[in-house]
Amino acid sequence: MKKYISLIILVICTAFIQPSVAFGESIQAETFQRLDKIREEKKKQLFDYLEKISKNADAIKSDSVMLDFFDIKNKYHQLKKLKTPPEGLSQVIEELKNKIDDHYIRKYLSFYDVLFVDKDGDIFYTIRKQTDYNKNIFRGELSKTALARQLKMHPDETFVDYQYYAVSDEPSSFIVKPVIIDGLSEGWFVLQCAINKINNMFTQAKGLGVTGEVFLVNKQNYMLTDSRFYGDSSILKKHLSPKNIEAKFREKA
């Protein structure tokens, strides 16, 4: 889980009026105590969520249902490259697709999508069947994605931080787990995480008053969650001054 949370930082901003020095200091202290409490609550929610999806992603490596489907569907995919499969086999595959979609709903709904990728980079199945389905991650437009670059550099196991993913038309991160069948590496499970679940945690304004907000910022100084004071979505669009943020990353505070 730590490798995921090391990429993001929690920031909280507020403003207040000081009618007198003593009274103002008291209000200030109370305000920061309240905000610190809210910040810690949001931090705990984030860590709990990251721990949950981390364990969920690890579980897929030993999930016999997912592994069996990967193996059968991959072999079917390779067969289709050589000849037209028998009609009876195609019907069996369609039935298996329905079962794996149901299994996804029961076990992996924390993830926006699951991509089944063979060792050559062919995306031979996805749950949502978007435009990356039946494409190759290492060729064409997909080869320019952060996911493709990370897979090439770290084929064993990797995490891709939130970036815009054109296929889904929204920011996504990816947890990549190798598929090992009979001791051999056959490809990857690519679990796609949408930003909306994290964004929803941080856009709740309860207890923040008129001027407070909680948001996430990555190491490139881009906001990873929406600001309540920014009309449009600020996710990966709003770039903040590095003046304070870089210092916080160095301090890990």
Side-chain angles (χ1 to χ4, degrees), residues 128-139:
R128 294 199 177 261
K129 303 173 184 65
Q130 296 183 310
T131 56
D132 48 6
Y133 184 25
N134 284 327
K135 298 288 180 61
N136 189 288
I137 192 68
F138 301 128
R139 293 198 291 268

Side-chain angles (χ1 to χ4, degrees), residues 30 77 86 149 224:
E30 288 181 16
H77 172 70
R149 292 193 296 271
L224 286 178

Side-chain angles (χ1 to χ4, degrees), residues 13 71 95 97 118 126-127 134 162 168 235:
C13 301
D71 188 31
E95 292 173 358
K97 286 180 183 180
D118 72 14
T126 75
I127 299 297
N134 284 327
Y162 283 98
S168 305
I235 300 171

Side-chain angles (χ1 to χ4, degrees), residues 67 71 75 179-186:
L67 289 169
D71 188 31
K75 288 176 179 175
V179 177
I180 307 298
I181 298 174
D182 295 331
L184 299 175
S185 177
E186 297 295 344

Side-chain angles (χ1 to χ4, degrees), residues 26-195:
S26 174
I27 293 295
Q28 178 177 348
E30 288 181 16
T31 299
F32 277 113
Q33 285 178 2
R34 185 174 72 252
L35 293 177
D36 283 345
K37 182 180 179 181
I38 294 171
R39 182 191 61 203
E40 289 305 309
E41 289 172 353
K42 297 295 184 183
K43 181 178 175 181
K44 184 179 185 305
Q45 288 179 32
L46 176 64
F47 280 34
D48 288 348
Y49 169 74
L50 292 173
E51 184 174 12
K52 175 185 175 183
I53 64 169
S54 178
K55 289 180 178 178
N56 204 189
D58 280 337
I60 203 170
K61 294 188 296 184
S62 56
D63 186 330
S64 60
V65 175
M66 297 295 271
L67 289 169
D68 288 347
F69 178 78
F70 187 103
D71 188 31
I72 294 169
K73 184 66 172 68
N74 188 22
K75 288 176 179 175
Y76 178 75
H77 172 70
Q78 303 304 327
L79 177 63
K80 283 176 64 179
K81 292 181 180 180
L82 302 174
K83 61 181 181 180
T84 302
E87 184 176 340
L89 179 58
S90 298
Q91 185 176 347
V92 169
I93 293 297
E94 289 303 315
E95 292 173 358
L96 287 175
K97 286 180 183 180
N98 292 332
K99 290 181 179 179
I100 210 67
D101 289 353
D102 290 341
H103 187 69
Y104 157 79
I105 292 171
R106 291 194 304 271
K107 298 288 187 178
Y108 300 100
L109 202 55
S110 297
F111 301 101
Y112 174 79
D113 202 356
V114 181
L115 283 59
F116 295 70
V117 186
D118 72 14
K119 57 188 176 184
D120 296 320
D122 286 347
I123 304 172
F124 62 86
Y125 192 69
T126 75
I127 299 297
R128 294 199 177 261
K129 303 173 184 65
Q130 296 183 310
T131 56
D132 48 6
Y133 184 25
N134 284 327
K135 298 288 180 61
N136 189 288
I137 192 68
F138 301 128
R139 293 198 291 268
E141 288 299 312
L142 289 179
S143 67
K144 302 173 185 177
T145 62
L147 174 58
R149 292 193 296 271
Q150 281 289 91
L151 268 178
K152 283 186 175 180
M153 291 188 294
H154 305 284
D156 293 334
E157 188 168 332
T158 191
F159 169 72
V160 184
D161 195 10
Y162 283 98
Q163 293 193 20
Y164 178 74
Y165 188 57
V167 172
S168 305
D169 193 27
E170 66 176 4
S172 295
S173 68
F174 299 90
I175 301 174
V176 181
K177 296 295 180 180
V179 177
I180 307 298
I181 298 174
D182 295 331
L184 299 175
S185 177
E186 297 295 344
W188 304 273
F189 292 119
V190 178
L191 301 113
Q192 182 179 352
C193 308
I195 194 66

